[in-house]
Amino acid sequence: MRRYVAFTMALVVASALLAGCSSKDKTEDNTNTTAVSGTAVQESKEEAPTESGDKTKEIVNYWHIHTGDEAKVEDELIAAYNASQDKYEVVGLSMNDQQKLIVALSSDEGPDVIFSSNANLTTYYFNGLLKDLQEYADRDQIDFSQWTDKAIQACTFDGKLYAMPESGGSAIQMFYNKDLLKAAGYSEPPATMEELYEMSEKITKLDGNGDIEVMGYPLFPLASARQELIYAFGGRWWDEEGNLTPESEGILESLHMNLQVREKYGIEKVQAFVGTANTNRYTEQDMFFTGHQAFRFDGAWLPTMIANNNPDLNYGIALVPGTKAHPENRGASRYEAGTVAMPVNAKCKEGAWDFIKFASSHEGSKIMDFGRGMTPARIDLMDDPDLKSIPGLEVFIEATKQGNGINYPQIKDYAKYVSLIDNALDLVYNGYQTPEEAMADLAEQCKGLE
């Protein structure tokens, strides 16, 4: 269960001891240690830090978003870094309230290093909250070929580096229920979206009231329907330069097939199924876990959830299909990266950069990737046997190698654009507008976005 750290606690701790490059005695402990969301946080006794001989460690404050078991992995990363050198000591704090984090980053009471998704990184950049890391990378002659191009792109804004990747890859692929496919006469998953539609028609089952009992077509989760189900057809909400492209041919093609499903079984019936699926997502009653969903576009975390909720489920994982016309779109998915960055107001900048380098190194990245079951951003971890032993992760690594991951657009109004997309899709899904009408209106609404 996720636990949330009160912002007031974070600021008290940060201001009392952790703000800036303070020194900590290596032998005499002047602090108490308490656990906050699985991460060690120091409480000041109000005495000034003392020194033992000439050897001291400078404190580096690291705030991350993880809780529970994932926070324990962060602890492992921190412990490994602290043991690797004698100059700095990283102290971790879980802070997963983005609005409160932004407030802290805007003040002088924030951390020296933050963990961030690439989507949130964009928000921080456009709010002027990140320190440019290019000077450090140039000085230390960082070899960027150690990471995938997509990973470095996710950390780069206006030609300058603002973060380093810990993990990164194609986040979503296709899960399928082998028993449902077998019952419909199939022994292999679909290779194209056309095949998937054909299979879904044979698999979908209705009860005596005409309600959907088993859904074939992957209309849920909603975020995957908006993204991967569009990408599979070659649709793009934005191009590689960040230009917004809601009228792209692939989007329209995807929406028309989506509507075929809704019209065949009834818009209200489909909406009822999707609504129930959304309510029960990732619980024991999840539609995929209980055998009521044949195809699911979801992430590398799903196998663990299946094991916890229905370990007997007979399922497989394959790349998201392309279409007959565009098989090269196979495996297309949103690209998600876990990054470490330095706030512009960081007090201990050299220590922050040193920790960032370690966290994105082979050793640091493997700790985080293996511990959290995430796709690596580093090329030298792509064939790591430990990572490939994680159930299902090899498929996500294969998709990442293909390079069909789609980075978030680096635009200031990204969140607003997503909201406009969702509104437009609701109009299409509920039959109020055709795909062409809705996307044309969306294109007009986008003209004022930055």
Side-chain angles (χ1 to χ4, degrees):
M1 178 180 297
R2 292 185 177 272
R3 298 188 300 165
Y4 293 84
V5 180
F7 184 53
T8 52
M9 173 66 178
L11 290 184
V12 168
V13 174
S15 60
L17 176 64
L18 304 182
C21 273
S22 59
S23 298
K24 182 181 184 301
D25 190 289
K26 292 180 63 179
T27 58
E28 183 178 350
D29 188 4
N30 289 298
T31 62
N32 291 327
T33 301
T34 58
V36 179
S37 294
T39 304
V41 179
Q42 293 184 329
E43 293 182 320
S44 173
K45 285 185 177 180
E46 298 185 354
E47 294 100 332
T50 60
E51 296 185 2
S52 176
D54 295 328
K55 295 183 178 180
T56 61
K57 284 191 174 184
E58 298 174 86
I59 297 297
V60 176
N61 304 312
Y62 171 45
W63 290 9
H64 58 80
I65 62 175
H66 300 117
T67 59
D69 289 341
E70 290 192 337
K72 294 177 183 178
V73 180
E74 291 280 12
D75 290 343
E76 184 180 350
L77 173 71
I78 292 168
Y81 172 74
N82 287 341
S84 72
Q85 44 72 53
D86 294 323
K87 187 171 184 179
Y88 305 107
E89 180 172 348
V90 170
V91 180
L93 175 68
S94 175
M95 169 56 68
N96 51 20
D97 187 316
Q98 293 302 312
Q99 291 304 314
K100 292 179 179 179
L101 177 58
I102 288 175
V103 171
L105 296 180
S106 302
S107 71
D108 291 330
E109 305 297 340
D112 299 299
V113 182
I114 59 171
F115 176 96
S116 174
S117 68
N118 49 328
N120 287 330
L121 199 68
T122 298
T123 299
Y124 302 150
Y125 169 75
F126 281 107
N127 279 280
L129 301 176
L130 299 180
K131 170 66 176 170
D132 174 5
L133 302 181
Q134 195 65 51
E135 59 181 296
Y136 299 99
D138 291 343
R139 181 194 69 190
D140 293 353
Q141 298 182 326
I142 298 298
D143 178 10
F144 292 109
S145 67
Q146 298 176 90
W147 297 271
T148 65
D149 290 342
K150 294 285 183 182
I152 298 303
Q153 288 170 12
C155 297
T156 304
F157 297 86
D158 293 328
K160 292 185 177 181
L161 187 75
Y162 282 86
M164 289 293 287
E166 268 186 351
S167 62
S170 295
I172 305 295
Q173 294 305 318
M174 181 176 67
F175 293 74
Y176 59 97
N177 186 306
K178 291 183 177 181
D179 290 337
L180 291 177
L181 265 65
K182 183 178 180 181
Y186 299 104
S187 59
E188 298 291 336
T192 66
M193 289 305 301
E194 290 86 354
E195 288 181 7
L196 190 152
Y197 181 84
E198 177 185 314
M199 289 184 181
S200 72
E201 281 193 309
K202 293 184 178 180
I203 292 171
T204 299
K205 294 180 181 178
L206 309 180
D207 64 15
N209 296 319
D211 295 323
I212 299 173
E213 186 174 314
V214 176
M215 171 64 78
Y217 202 69
L219 300 181
F220 175 83
L222 301 175
S224 296
R226 169 165 50 81
Q227 295 180 81
E228 282 69 33
L229 197 55
I230 295 290
Y231 302 154
F233 289 83
R236 299 291 183 269
W237 295 110
W238 51 81
D239 60 23
E240 292 187 358
E241 287 72 43
N243 300 306
L244 307 185
T245 57
E247 293 182 282
S248 75
E249 182 179 347
I251 292 176
L252 298 175
E253 187 178 353
S254 173
L255 292 180
H256 277 292
M257 188 173 285
N258 193 314
L259 280 179
Q260 279 183 256
V261 177
R262 295 172 184 273
E263 291 168 354
K264 181 177 180 64
Y265 302 108
I267 289 177
E268 291 184 359
K269 300 292 187 182
V270 170
Q271 295 292 65
F273 182 92
V274 171
T276 301
N278 194 46
T279 299
N280 294 312
R281 185 183 185 187
Y282 300 150
T283 71
E284 291 182 358
Q285 300 305 313
D286 186 289
M287 290 297 193
F288 188 76
F289 302 168
T290 57
H292 292 87
Q293 186 179 21
F295 298 106
R296 174 77 160 255
F297 290 179
D298 218 312
W301 50 85
L302 202 65
T304 299
M305 294 182 173
I306 293 172
N308 291 336
N309 290 281
N310 185 7
D312 296 326
L313 184 67
N314 187 19
Y315 73 97
I317 312 174
L319 297 181
V320 169
T323 62
K324 289 181 179 178
H326 295 286
E328 70 276 7
N329 289 323
R330 190 165 177 259
S333 164
R334 75 195 80 164
Y335 185 90
E336 292 189 351
T339 73
V340 273
M342 187 191 307
V344 69
N345 291 330
K347 301 291 192 308
C348 194
K349 289 183 170 61
E350 285 295 336
W353 171 243
D354 198 62
F355 178 62
I356 287 171
K357 286 195 296 182
F358 180 85
S360 57
S361 70
H362 180 99
E363 179 183 354
S365 292
K366 182 171 179 178
I367 290 172
M368 291 298 292
D369 296 342
F370 182 72
R372 297 172 55 230
M374 300 301 292
T375 306
R378 291 187 62 97
I379 295 172
D380 56 11
L381 286 173
M382 291 288 181
D383 294 312
D384 185 278
D386 292 329
L387 290 176
K388 294 180 81 170
S389 71
I390 297 173
L393 192 62
E394 190 167 3
V395 175
F396 291 84
I397 293 175
E398 179 187 354
T400 301
K401 286 180 177 180
Q402 289 190 348
N404 280 342
I406 298 168
N407 261 317
Y408 295 98
Q410 294 180 338
I411 59 173
K412 184 177 182 180
D413 292 328
Y414 170 70
K416 186 174 182 180
Y417 183 42
V418 171
S419 178
L420 291 174
I421 291 172
D422 289 340
N423 291 337
L425 293 180
D426 282 343
L427 293 173
V428 174
Y429 295 160
N430 288 290
Y432 295 119
Q433 284 189 320
T434 66
E436 286 77 8
E437 291 169 341
M439 294 304 105
D441 286 350
L442 178 57
E444 283 296 317
Q445 294 169 351
C446 291
K447 289 182 177 179
L449 299 184
E450 300 179 35

